[in-house]
């Protein structure tokens, strides 16, 4: 069985630019160690509080990208699983972590992908990500940012072609 089976992004009319121009992928420490540490010479790596943010050097593709798509599709990080939803902010205050996400409007298959990804599943994945990053005892509150703020963020993201992220504590 191909490890890219069931990947709707293989039909992406942008040629899967999310993977081909990897920029600002958010990872837990465990995701970085298990999936990206051994490719670090190809990556620009930043640490923002407890989140590791990786981009490919010189606008290259993700090191897991291959001719048939993502080579680790079944094991890909949570930030890849939720796309074209984007984590906009992670705010940690004492025992609570608030994660705000929104949807990218420039994904050509977004309607199809959203059908495969009920919002409840996305929230569960982001709760898992929040616990992986900040600790299993934290209370994770996930909210979907919509309306003007989401549309404004989409315009900014499309303009600079990367994900925006802020974490505060
Ligand atoms: S999430 Fe959308 S834009 Fe990104 S690779 Fe998939 S179909 Fe293409
Ligand atoms: S891990 Fe896979 S899905 Fe995620 S950016 Fe890399 S190639 Fe794309």
């Amino acid at each position: 069985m191909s490890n890219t089976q069931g990947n709707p992004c293989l039909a992406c009319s942008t040629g899967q630019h999310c993977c081909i121009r990897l920029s600002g992928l958010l990872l837990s420490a465990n995701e970085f160690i298990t999936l990206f540490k051994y490719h670090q010479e190809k990556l620009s790596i930043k640490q923002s509080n407890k989140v590791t943010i990786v981009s490919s050097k010189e606008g290259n593709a993700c090191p897991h990208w291959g001719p048939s798509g993502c080579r680790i599709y079944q094991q890909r990080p949570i930030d890849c699983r939720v796309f074209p939803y984007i984590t906009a902010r992670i705010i940690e205050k004492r025992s609570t972590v608030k994660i705000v996400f929104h949807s990218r409007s420039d994904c050509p298959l977004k309607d199809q992908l959203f059908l495969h990804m009920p919002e409840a599943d996305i929230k569960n994945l982001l709760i898992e990500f929040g616990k992986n990053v900040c600790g299993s005892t934290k209370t994770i509150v996930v909210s979907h940012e919509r309306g003007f703020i989401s549309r404004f963020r989409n315009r900014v993201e499309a303009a600079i072609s990367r994900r925006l992220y802020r974490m505060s504590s």
Side-chain angles (χ1 to χ4, degrees):
M1 185 175 79
S2 163
N3 66 356
T4 61
Q5 189 171 16
N7 179 359
C9 292
L10 292 175
C12 176
S13 60
T14 73
Q16 294 195 254
H17 71 185
C18 305
C19 305
I20 284 180
R21 290 185 300 162
L22 181 68
S23 178
L25 182 67
L26 308 186
L27 301 170
S28 67
N30 187 53
E31 287 173 328
F32 176 73
I33 289 166
T34 57
L35 297 173
F36 285 87
K37 186 175 178 189
Y38 296 105
H39 299 284
Q40 53 187 317
E41 73 283 354
K42 300 174 187 164
L43 299 169
S44 161
I45 302 164
K46 292 182 189 159
Q47 197 68 32
S48 178
N49 286 359
K50 297 168 183 168
V51 174
T52 304
I53 308 172
V54 301
S55 303
S56 284
K57 285 181 179 166
E58 298 166 0
N60 289 326
C62 174
H64 295 297
W65 173 260
S68 305
C70 176
R71 285 187 289 242
I72 57 163
Y73 188 70
Q74 304 301 338
Q75 294 82 38
R76 68 200 188 284
I78 286 176
D79 202 29
C80 301
R81 289 174 191 276
V82 302
F83 215 78
Y85 289 109
I86 301 274
T87 299
R89 294 188 297 286
I90 300 176
I91 302 159
E92 184 177 5
K93 285 210 165 76
R94 298 190 182 88
S95 62
T96 301
V97 177
K98 183 175 183 187
I99 298 179
V100 180
F101 73 101
H102 72 119
S103 56
R104 279 290 288 262
S105 59
D106 60 350
C107 167
L109 297 180
K110 62 181 186 302
D111 292 338
Q112 183 183 335
L113 287 169
F114 290 158
L115 283 178
H116 286 273
M117 297 193 294
E119 191 165 315
D121 291 355
I122 298 302
K123 287 185 171 177
N124 285 335
L125 280 169
L126 292 176
I127 288 170
E128 183 183 336
F129 184 73
K131 287 186 178 284
N132 290 345
V133 166
C134 297
S136 58
T137 60
K138 299 281 184 176
T139 300
I140 314 293
V141 179
V142 177
S143 68
H144 189 172
E145 185 177 79
R146 303 172 197 269
F148 169 77
I149 295 174
S150 177
R151 287 195 297 277
F152 176 75
R153 197 181 294 280
N154 263 316
R155 277 203 292 275
V156 173
E157 286 176 4
I160 63 176
S161 189
R162 57 163 299 167
R163 306 167 196 204
L164 294 181
Y165 169 70
R166 177 171 69 85
M167 182 167 179
S168 59
S169 59

